[in-house]
Amino acid sequence: MRFPRSWAAAAASCLPLAVLTVLSPVAAGTARAAAPVPIAAYDFEDGTAQGWTPRGSGVSVAAARDAAHSGGASLLTTGRTETWHGASITPPLEKGVTYSITAHARLAQGTPANTVALTVQRTPDGGTTTYERVGAGTVTDAAWVEISGTYSFTADSPDLQLYAESSEATAAFYLDDITITADTDPGTSGVTSDFETGTAQGWAPRASASLTVVAGQAHGGAASLLSTARSASWDGPALRVLGKMTKGSKYALSVWVRLGPDTTSGDLGLSVERGLNGTAAYDRVAAPTAITAGGWTQLKGSYTLAYDVDFLSVYVESPSGTFPFYIDDFTLSYVPAKPVQTDIPPVKDTLPFQVGAAISRAQTIGGHGELLTRHFDSVTPGNALKWDATEPREGEFTFDEADHLVAYAADHGLRFRGHTLAWHSQTPAWVFKDGDRDLTATPADKALLLGRLENHIRTVAGRYKGRIQTWDVVNEVVDENQPDGMRRSPWFQVTGYDFIRTAFRVAREVDPAAKLVINDYNTEFPRKRQALYNLVRKLKAEGVPIDAVGHQLHVNIERPPASEIEKTIETFAALGVDQQVTELDVSVYTDFVSSYTTVPEAVLAEQGHRYKEIFDVFRRQAARLSSVTVWGLADDDTWLSTFPITRLNPPLLFDDELQAKPAYWGVVDPARLPPLTRRLDAPKATVKVDAEREQQWDLLPDTPIARVGDLAARFQARWSPAGLAVWAEVDDRTCDKADTATVRLGGADRVMRRDGHAPWYRTAAVKNGYRAEALLPASAALGGRLPFELVVHDGKSGKDVSWKGELTLTAPVRLTTAAKGAPVIDGVADAAWSKAPEVTTATWIQGGPGATAKVRALWDAGHLYVLARVTDAALSEESQNAWERDSVEIFVDPGNGKTKGYDDDDGQYRVSFAGEQTVGGTFDAAGVKDNLVSAAKVVPGGYVVEASIALPTITPAQGGLLGFDVQVNDATGAARTGAVTWNDSSGRSYVSTAGWGVLELGR
């Protein structure tokens, strides 16, 4: 159920839940409107002092069972020798709020009557300490006396204590049933800091940093707060916000930051420190972000307080270094919760398999918990069961988070997936060390590491035997770029395959009923698919108890095709294993650098249609698929907000207000999806209409049309003055005279029959289907746009598949040839280059005219070679940025995928005129960074770049086609003033292979 904010406020201040009456949502709303808001309460029934501490030397405070105003315990203060001695606490009080504070007091037996008072000690920011009486009363040892009063303050006061004292210096007294209420709810009022008062406004250093309000440097107004003399990366400005956030509520946080004096680079992030009973924990709000030198950068994010706390602080830190920085215009604002929709179908009720979500504790409370239990029937912990969370130090196990989540799942009827027992990431460094020495592949080190693995699995999996139904036993062990397909993790380097064998053996022994999974990402890509398939087949043949294969499926709105996802499921079915989708999300980006400030509605609609086609696959493959887990509950908490860069990326079914998105409807009821206009480039070309696939159609990949039943199709289009040419390949095993492919163009339907032909089209039978090629009349010109629809009909089943959208008429895809040969890479063109055709970079994407290059290519059994002769009268490498120096960039896609992103074997290879290399690709270019060997030489009028690029993921052969382009960067001083390519006119070659030309491997 949803808890009222009054409950959340009390829980945040450590009030035991048993003493609270949990109201219904209606009653809670009434209570908030009619009654003061509970802020904190202390009844000492748990046998602790609940945060109260001694005030004064020699004083003792402790829970006592010999007296109580209610219940069975109170707080006894003894050992006093001064009237101001007593019991003290730092309550969650904020300026501008009026509080009612009530306590019940009684003297220890035999103590003469005296006055007991509640007092606040407060030090205003930049001021002197004051002592302010809240309330007082004459107290005896015969009965409990209520002491109460109201209290408020208006100045920022980071040092504030509430304490009880007595007019008799040595009197011992009891306190009980202490409550603090407010006239308004501080948990909804927010916090702002602009430093325009000339004070730090409550901000204080976390360690020894110096905080100074400075004028003349500000994001807004005239002042900001400068942090200097930081002792560590985590040292800097912090603001205590206890009481300003309540458990289960969501908050938006924002702060503007700027690098300090004499600092040219650095990363900063925004975090929360929370504590309970002296134990601290840390949560990230905004991931460390590179701060632009000379300007202000906004750090922002949302945060849901999911824990009981007695300490809460927000702070700015750097991941490394102690450089100075400014902050300004901080805001913390309450985000009102929208009711969870109850008039839409639960996701779990619409699917023929288990559906789950990855969660943390924050997703188990309030509206998040309601959304979770309404729509999902299983959960996976995002981090709580990983090695760094469960065994941070050898033999020291911590299970608080995992215990909470496992118990929550059991209490709410949710199945539980354990993630993960063995992984190369988020595993503490000690696991792979013996003291300070790294483990190596010796028998002794192997035994040590496998012993640690066995002990960890027996402890963790054994703790939850019978309560965790599925385990990701090993995670991400495959690297398709290695000859044997195995990731060179410390696990593999020390133990070979034995860590996998051991992990599965021990997990089976510990919990024979649990389903054991090998889990990996990118299994929908052919090379990764095959590498994992080979591994599972090998291990299954040895008797390793692998029950299921987990496909993570971190995909985007365009790639990979749904047909490849389906092919993966069908491929692994041959091994007789169960299959699970374990970490599904759909990024709204197709590359690793783009960013939206607001994601367009059209993109969210596209994401919805993408979810539809993916879940269409899952429904068709339900007999082979036992569960699907989305990697998160809603868009307000997703790893993609910080990976691979910090950006707005809503990849899940529900938005950041927990409301259903088009993505949800794509899964539950695609009829509710908004219409989608698809777009496709149609390059200029002349083709022969004969239903034979000529080379022109191989320059680009076919565009797939989402499968319906067993019917699927792929197509392309080209334009010329003669009209629009269309190529289609259809998968349809049932040959029927009523099978057709209809093109709708210019308001007219043109029907191609499977067994027919006409002057304008031809068809031909192929295995399990047919192909069709047509030329239709159309008014075509470069840059034009044509509404287009292709509908493929299966006469036997009556089903259709279709693609509807708009074609953009583009320039031809340039094609050149690489001759066979292997030059010496020394910056001097030897005789081998003379037989290679030469092309010129002439497509300007910036500036022009300027530096250009004449380019040739060669190839052999394992490499592509490129020679670029650059004409450039003035050479510069002044800029700190490699792309702003005079240089040549060579783009190579071994598979010619023409994708709006890079596959892991696609590369951007840059060589400057001085020979400096920089390599780009997916993530950190791990798959291609070692492929480049180059030489550069300055010559009269320019320079020469000669490069060898390894092609380990393909077997080069005559007739093969590679995606290929070359770009010349022209620098003037420290700026790039011109850039020119051979083919790609988009200016996005560095993030997308879609616009590259094509290189044919010739003789």
Side-chain angles (χ1 to χ4, degrees):
M1 73 182 296
R2 299 175 61 224
F3 296 109
R5 288 188 49 76
S6 58
W7 178 89
S13 299
C14 307
L15 178 63
L17 303 188
V19 307
L20 286 165
T21 300
V22 179
L23 306 177
S24 70
V26 173
T30 303
R32 287 199 302 273
V37 179
I39 300 301
Y42 311 92
D43 65 1
F44 313 108
E45 294 301 306
D46 61 356
T48 74
Q50 296 183 347
W52 289 79
T53 59
R55 177 179 170 83
S57 177
V59 177
S60 173
V61 297
R65 294 288 181 184
D66 58 338
H69 174 253
S70 68
S74 62
L75 185 73
L76 175 62
T77 301
T78 58
R80 300 174 62 248
T81 56
E82 300 284 350
T83 58
W84 55 269
H85 286 181
S88 174
I89 197 165
T90 300
L93 305 187
E94 296 295 328
K95 69 177 182 179
V97 178
T98 299
Y99 296 95
S100 295
I101 303 175
T102 298
H104 294 82
R106 182 173 179 169
L107 299 180
Q109 191 68 35
T111 304
N114 61 75
T115 300
V116 174
L118 297 176
T119 306
V120 169
Q121 174 185 316
R122 181 172 60 86
T123 304
D125 201 353
T128 58
T129 300
T130 64
Y131 301 87
E132 299 161 328
R133 179 63 53 86
V134 176
T138 300
V139 181
T140 71
D141 63 354
W144 289 88
V145 175
E146 179 180 299
I147 301 171
S148 63
T150 61
Y151 180 73
S152 65
F153 61 100
T154 58
D156 292 307
S157 302
D159 183 10
L160 183 151
Q161 297 177 27
L162 171 68
Y163 64 96
E165 58 185 340
S166 167
S167 60
E168 170 55 50
T170 60
F173 56 83
Y174 299 93
L175 298 173
D176 199 5
D177 292 339
I178 306 167
T179 61
I180 304 174
T181 62
D183 60 349
T184 59
D185 187 349
T188 64
S189 58
V191 181
T192 62
S193 302
D194 61 7
F195 312 109
E196 297 302 303
T197 61
T199 69
Q201 298 179 343
W203 290 81
R206 301 192 72 217
S208 60
S210 176
L211 305 186
T212 308
V213 177
V214 295
Q217 183 64 269
H219 170 258
S224 64
L225 186 68
L226 173 63
S227 297
T228 57
R230 299 167 60 220
S231 62
S233 62
W234 49 264
D235 191 10
L239 179 68
R240 292 192 178 186
V241 292
L242 186 66
K244 301 301 292 185
M245 294 185 183
T246 52
K247 185 178 178 182
S249 294
K250 181 179 176 181
Y251 297 86
L253 291 88
S254 168
V255 66
W256 290 85
V257 296
R258 181 184 177 113
L259 298 176
D262 303 318
T263 304
T264 58
S265 64
D267 293 4
L268 293 170
L270 184 65
S271 299
V272 165
E273 179 183 356
R274 51 182 169 82
L276 181 63
N277 298 327
T279 300
Y282 308 91
D283 300 318
R284 177 172 290 174
V285 177
T289 300
I291 309 304
T292 304
W296 289 90
T297 300
Q298 185 182 28
L299 306 176
K300 64 178 181 177
S302 64
Y303 181 73
T304 298
L305 181 61
Y307 300 84
D308 294 335
V309 293
D310 55 24
F311 178 87
L312 196 62
S313 173
V314 60
Y315 62 97
V316 179
E317 63 178 338
S318 56
S320 61
T322 58
F323 55 86
F325 60 85
Y326 303 90
I327 70 170
D328 200 7
D329 293 339
F330 169 81
T331 60
L332 181 156
S333 56
Y334 170 66
V335 180
K338 285 187 176 181
V340 170
Q341 296 159 290
T342 58
D343 58 346
I344 60 175
V347 175
K348 62 187 178 184
D349 291 350
T350 67
L351 297 171
F353 39 73
Q354 229 180 82
V355 61
I359 62 167
S360 64
R361 186 186 292 243
Q363 280 74 55
T364 66
I365 58 179
H368 289 85
E370 184 179 350
L371 186 75
L372 175 64
T373 55
R374 176 174 177 79
H375 287 283
F376 299 95
D377 49 24
S378 76
V379 292
T380 299
N383 291 294
L385 279 168
K386 291 174 181 173
W387 199 311
D388 59 352
T390 54
E391 193 183 4
R393 289 163 294 279
E394 187 163 15
E396 297 181 18
F397 290 88
T398 59
F399 294 109
D400 288 351
E401 286 303 293
D403 284 353
H404 175 87
L405 296 179
V406 170
Y408 177 89
D411 290 345
H412 292 82
L414 300 169
R415 294 181 66 83
F416 203 98
R417 297 190 76 262
H419 180 80
T420 178
L421 294 172
W423 189 26
H424 66 278
S425 184
Q426 289 184 245
T427 300
W430 66 261
V431 176
F432 306 114
K433 288 181 175 292
D434 182 9
D436 293 331
R437 180 183 64 84
D438 291 338
L439 299 182
T440 60
T442 64
D445 282 359
K446 179 177 180 179
L448 174 62
L449 184 55
L450 292 178
R452 286 172 172 169
L453 176 64
E454 178 165 351
N455 180 65
H456 181 82
I457 294 175
R458 289 194 183 280
T459 303
V460 177
R463 182 182 185 88
Y464 300 108
K465 179 181 179 181
R467 293 187 290 162
I468 290 182
Q469 293 78 29
T470 302
W471 276 104
D472 290 332
V473 178
V474 295
N475 194 46
E476 299 178 4
V477 299
V478 169
D479 179 355
E480 67 274 33
N481 296 310
Q482 297 293 338
D484 56 7
M486 294 301 296
R487 180 185 293 276
R488 295 310 191 251
S489 69
W491 290 112
F492 187 78
Q493 290 173 329
V494 176
T495 77
Y497 294 91
D498 282 347
F499 82 96
I500 305 176
R501 298 179 177 115
T502 298
F504 277 95
R505 172 183 60 79
V506 175
R508 174 64 84 232
E509 291 173 2
V510 169
D511 192 348
K515 183 172 291 188
L516 307 183
V517 183
I518 184 169
N519 189 50
D520 222 313
Y521 66 94
N522 280 2
T523 62
E524 63 278 14
F525 290 92
R527 291 190 300 114
K528 186 68 167 275
R529 174 197 302 146
Q530 190 61 50
L532 181 59
Y533 179 89
N534 292 343
L535 174 64
V536 175
R537 180 176 59 185
K538 166 185 168 65
L539 295 174
K540 289 282 288 181
E542 296 175 3
V544 176
I546 298 173
D547 299 319
V549 173
H551 310 293
Q552 292 185 11
L553 283 189
H554 297 293
V555 300
N556 67 47
I557 54 175
E558 291 194 4
R559 298 181 56 250
S563 58
E564 291 297 325
I565 297 173
E566 190 149 28
K567 188 178 295 184
T568 292
I569 297 172
E570 291 172 338
T571 296
F572 281 92
L575 294 178
V577 290
D578 179 32
Q579 296 181 68
Q580 301 179 351
V581 172
T582 58
E583 302 181 20
L584 174 66
D585 46 31
V586 178
S587 170
V588 298
Y589 303 100
T590 58
D591 60 61
F592 302 112
V593 300
S594 299
S595 182
Y596 294 115
T597 54
T598 301
V599 179
E601 291 298 322
V603 174
L604 295 177
E606 186 175 359
Q607 184 187 57
H609 285 269
R610 178 73 160 136
Y611 265 105
K612 174 199 177 299
E613 68 175 12
I614 291 172
F615 272 80
D616 283 347
V617 170
F618 296 162
R619 286 183 169 95
R620 281 195 298 271
Q621 298 295 332
R624 297 163 171 167
L625 197 64
S626 64
S627 72
V628 172
T629 297
V630 291
W631 201 241
L633 179 64
D635 290 337
D636 62 338
D637 188 7
T638 167
W639 75 300
L640 291 178
S641 63
T642 59
F643 181 87
I645 62 172
T646 299
R647 58 183 174 181
L648 176 64
N649 194 352
L652 301 170
L653 305 184
F654 300 93
D655 67 18
D656 58 5
E657 295 183 303
L658 312 188
Q659 306 299 293
K661 298 164 49 185
Y664 162 86
W665 293 112
V667 175
V668 171
D669 184 3
R672 298 276 300 268
L673 282 171
L676 178 66
T677 299
R678 301 184 184 275
R679 289 178 172 83
L680 181 68
D681 287 347
K684 185 178 183 180
T686 300
V687 297
K688 183 179 180 181
V689 180
D690 57 3
E692 295 296 326
R693 191 176 179 105
E694 58 192 279
Q695 187 185 57
Q696 177 58 226
W697 298 118
D698 289 331
L699 300 184
L700 299 179
D702 293 341
T703 295
I705 302 176
R707 176 176 159 184
V708 175
D710 292 326
L711 180 66
R714 301 160 297 284
F715 81 101
Q716 292 190 57
R718 298 289 188 274
W719 70 276
S720 69
L724 184 75
V726 178
W727 170 271
E729 293 199 15
V730 179
D731 297 333
D732 182 358
R733 296 173 180 269
T734 58
C735 186
D736 190 281
K737 291 184 178 181
D739 292 342
T740 58
T742 301
V743 179
R744 292 172 179 157
L745 183 68
D749 286 6
R750 298 280 186 141
V751 180
M752 296 178 283
R753 299 191 177 279
R754 179 172 183 161
D755 59 353
H757 66 273
W760 60 277
Y761 83 89
R762 288 289 187 276
T763 61
V766 296
K767 183 179 180 181
N768 297 324
Y770 64 100
R771 60 170 65 127
E773 190 172 23
L775 180 63
L776 297 90
S779 177
L782 184 64
R785 297 178 184 273
L786 297 177
F788 176 86
E789 185 173 6
L790 176 62
V791 180
V792 177
H793 177 73
D794 176 18
K796 185 177 180 71
S797 68
K799 294 179 179 178
D800 293 340
V801 297
S802 64
W803 188 98
K804 183 178 182 179
E806 184 178 75
L807 302 178
T808 300
L809 309 184
T810 61
V813 179
R814 287 194 172 96
L815 173 69
T816 190
T817 302
K820 193 168 186 181
V824 176
I825 305 300
D826 56 5
V828 177
D830 53 33
W833 291 108
S834 61
K835 62 179 181 178
E838 185 175 77
V839 297
T840 301
T841 58
T843 302
W844 291 95
I845 59 173
Q846 179 187 349
T852 62
K854 295 186 180 300
V855 180
R856 298 177 189 266
L858 296 169
W859 69 281
D860 65 14
H863 302 82
L864 174 68
Y865 304 97
V866 178
L867 176 71
R869 302 172 185 265
V870 182
T871 300
D872 191 346
L875 303 178
S876 173
E877 54 180 352
E878 292 182 29
S879 176
Q880 293 183 340
N881 299 319
W883 65 89
E884 293 183 314
R885 301 171 189 164
D886 284 303
S887 57
V888 171
E889 298 183 17
I890 303 164
F891 300 96
V892 180
D893 171 6
N896 192 32
K898 295 291 183 288
T899 56
K900 291 183 181 177
Y902 276 37
D903 288 337
D904 63 358
D905 63 346
D906 299 338
Q908 172 195 25
Y909 304 95
R910 184 186 297 112
V911 183
S912 76
F913 74 92
E916 181 184 9
Q917 296 181 352
T918 47
V919 178
T922 55
F923 306 137
D924 58 356
V928 299
K929 62 185 179 183
D930 298 325
N931 288 353
L932 177 64
V933 175
S934 67
K937 180 170 289 190
V938 176
V939 298
Y943 60 100
V944 174
V945 167
E946 193 172 23
S948 167
I949 297 166
L951 302 172
T953 62
I954 64 170
T955 302
Q958 185 176 329
L961 300 177
L962 280 62
F964 176 77
D965 223 311
V966 177
Q967 178 175 313
V968 178
N969 299 312
D970 190 7
T972 302
R976 189 177 77 174
T977 54
V980 63
T981 68
W982 169 54
N983 184 78
D984 192 356
S985 61
S986 71
R988 294 179 56 80
S989 295
Y990 67 103
V991 292
S992 170
T993 73
W996 299 357
V998 178
L999 181 68
E1000 181 180 8
L1001 304 183
R1003 293 184 292 177

